[in-house]
Amino acid sequence: MRAILARVGWTILAFVLIEGFVFRTDLYPSILEPDSTTGLYETQLGNELKRSSPGARQVLAVGHSRMGLLPRIANDASTANSYRYSSIALGGTSPRVWYYGMRTVDPTTNRYAAIWIPVDDYNEPDRYDEDDDHESDLHYIIRRLTIGDTLPFTLSYHSWASRWYAMRGILLKSFVYRRDFQDFLAHPRERIKKARYYERESAGWYYGFEGEEFSLAGIQVDWAKQEIVFPPAVKEGERQMIKGVLFENRPPRSGRETAYFRRWYSAILERYSGSRTRLIFFRVPRGPVVRPDEPPPVADSAIRQIANEPGVTVLPEDTFTDLERPELFGDALHLNRQGMILFSKRVAAMTPQIVEEHK
């Protein structure tokens, strides 16, 4: 019996040591699959941590795929001042992920003069796919979570199943890395080569990104009949996606989304409390066409509640409505190249005014 217990004990000890040495240091994260969920966000964070622009007033964009800032365009438009723009925005992420991303690239909360943060809808309508139970959030930021994050991160999930998934992932990161690790073992040399290549070259790719050229110019929507006349170049799969977005059925308002946003906006505000950084929230351009049945403003939405907090600027909802035109969108949600260029130039023009106004 003692021999069996000893073996079990040594097995557990070996597992803990391997877990700690391989997955809780920089060893394995340095060779993640660059095109995985974790790898993509780590690439963004790593590039920002290495980026240097001495003497400049730094401005960061966070957000998801609807964050339309092109740093190169904004920087080109800022040659007359010392502001320099960068982005760690990545499709699929949400405020929970942004909080930990900001904590990673700005550990002292004094690196940036301003941070631009997107909001899809100031009314924060509930969705059938609620943000507070996205297990994918754990994968985006697993490398940056510590044991100390276990309780707040776990409790930020709504369902007990998601809470268990999050807690297990933080305590035993090998569960999150498992599939990636199996793929690595199948082709270790190729993976290492690819990881090093992305490490060297990806900053240039992201900085040079120009957005999609395709536009929805010519689209016509009959809201009463829920019918759309599409430009001929729009493919069938894209047509169905656009219909799904424009004619989306919305669940009754329960306030669950607002509770989620309140939690993470509060966390961001608390982190930057007393900092010189200006937090700029804005409503993203909503789409190539806008639903005519938009509900009246919800006074107690999280974004409206923080509008008067110190260090915060919540831009009027209509700030970017002039960009809500078919020729500036590549699909139902995302600005195309021309739209992103116009948005980036606007951000470059507005940022110095906002920052200087609140000094």
Side-chain angles (χ1 to χ4, degrees):
M1 188 64 177
R2 282 186 185 175
I4 294 175
L5 290 175
R7 282 197 197 120
V8 171
W10 282 111
T11 300
I12 293 174
L13 179 60
F15 177 81
V16 170
L17 291 174
I18 293 172
E19 162 82 18
F21 178 69
V22 176
F23 299 114
R24 290 192 175 275
T25 66
D26 290 337
L27 180 61
Y28 189 72
S30 69
I31 53 173
L32 284 167
E33 166 55 54
D35 291 321
S36 68
T37 299
T38 311
L40 285 168
Y41 202 50
E42 276 302 314
T43 297
Q44 291 278 63
L45 298 179
N47 287 338
E48 180 62 10
L49 285 168
K50 291 183 291 186
R51 186 182 62 85
S52 175
S53 189
R57 282 174 282 191
Q58 307 289 335
V59 180
L60 180 70
V62 303
H64 42 37
S65 60
R66 300 181 75 183
M67 166 51 82
L69 182 76
L70 296 172
R72 180 178 58 82
I73 299 299
N75 287 332
D76 288 347
S78 301
T79 54
N81 57 54
S82 60
Y83 286 85
R84 298 294 294 175
Y85 296 81
S86 62
S87 175
I88 56 170
L90 182 65
T93 59
S94 62
R96 177 163 44 202
V97 176
W98 307 343
Y99 169 81
Y100 290 101
M102 292 158 69
R103 187 181 74 173
T104 297
V105 300
D106 191 17
T108 61
T109 67
N110 63 11
R111 183 178 183 186
Y112 301 102
I115 299 177
W116 283 75
I117 303 171
V119 179
D120 289 340
D121 190 328
Y122 281 18
N123 280 344
E124 299 155 4
D126 289 293
R127 309 187 314 171
Y128 290 107
D129 177 25
E130 299 284 4
D131 283 310
D132 58 12
D133 267 341
H134 282 179
E135 294 179 354
S136 60
D137 287 1
L138 176 67
H139 292 258
Y140 282 111
I141 54 173
I142 183 61
R143 181 182 181 184
R144 305 300 171 174
L145 293 172
T146 68
I147 293 295
D149 294 317
T150 304
L151 190 60
F153 186 82
T154 298
L155 293 179
S156 71
Y157 283 87
H158 183 78
S159 71
W160 284 104
S162 295
R163 288 177 176 180
W164 164 245
Y165 185 84
M167 182 177 68
R168 184 187 65 175
I170 296 176
L171 296 177
L172 297 173
K173 293 191 175 187
S174 55
F175 278 101
V176 181
Y177 288 128
R178 179 172 52 191
R179 180 175 297 178
D180 191 278
F181 188 56
Q182 290 171 345
D183 291 342
F184 166 75
L185 292 177
H187 306 283
R189 188 173 298 177
E190 291 85 347
R191 167 71 70 78
I192 293 172
K193 183 178 179 180
K194 183 177 182 180
R196 297 291 82 81
Y197 178 60
Y198 273 64
E199 186 178 1
R200 292 192 311 269
E201 305 293 337
S202 60
W205 304 337
Y206 284 116
Y207 192 71
F209 177 68
E210 297 182 336
E212 299 296 331
E213 190 171 1
F214 183 78
S215 88
L216 290 177
I219 191 172
Q220 300 177 38
V221 181
D222 186 324
W223 296 101
K225 295 180 179 180
Q226 293 200 346
E227 296 177 351
I228 302 177
V229 176
F230 290 98
V234 180
K235 298 179 180 178
E236 181 59 32
E238 188 66 27
R239 295 184 181 203
Q240 295 305 315
M241 191 275 278
I242 293 172
K243 288 180 180 178
V245 171
L246 296 184
F247 304 138
E248 176 187 20
N249 291 319
R250 297 170 175 174
R253 181 175 177 81
S254 69
R256 183 168 157 182
E257 277 291 275
T258 287
Y260 169 82
F261 288 120
R262 184 175 291 121
R263 181 182 199 126
W264 290 106
Y265 291 163
S266 296
I268 292 170
L269 266 60
E270 181 179 354
R271 177 163 178 76
Y272 281 91
S273 176
S275 166
R276 68 179 181 87
T277 302
R278 194 77 194 169
L279 301 173
I280 305 172
F281 293 83
F282 70 98
R283 189 180 70 183
V284 299
R286 290 167 293 179
V289 290
V290 178
R291 289 173 61 143
D293 60 345
E294 291 295 312
V298 175
D300 64 347
S301 66
I303 190 63
R304 292 191 175 98
Q305 290 297 306
I306 68 169
N308 295 318
E309 292 291 328
V312 173
T313 294
V314 176
L315 294 177
E317 293 178 72
D318 62 356
T319 300
F320 296 106
T321 54
D322 60 304
L323 301 182
E324 296 171 347
R325 308 198 307 267
E327 63 269 24
L328 299 181
F329 274 76
D331 58 34
L333 294 172
H334 303 98
L335 291 168
N336 62 14
R337 179 182 302 171
Q338 187 58 34
M340 295 177 78
I341 289 173
L342 292 174
F343 174 80
S344 300
K345 290 181 178 179
R346 186 87 62 81
V347 167
M350 293 175 66
T351 301
Q353 299 172 6
I354 295 172
V355 172
E356 298 299 324
E357 178 185 349
H358 293 93
K359 270 189 173 180

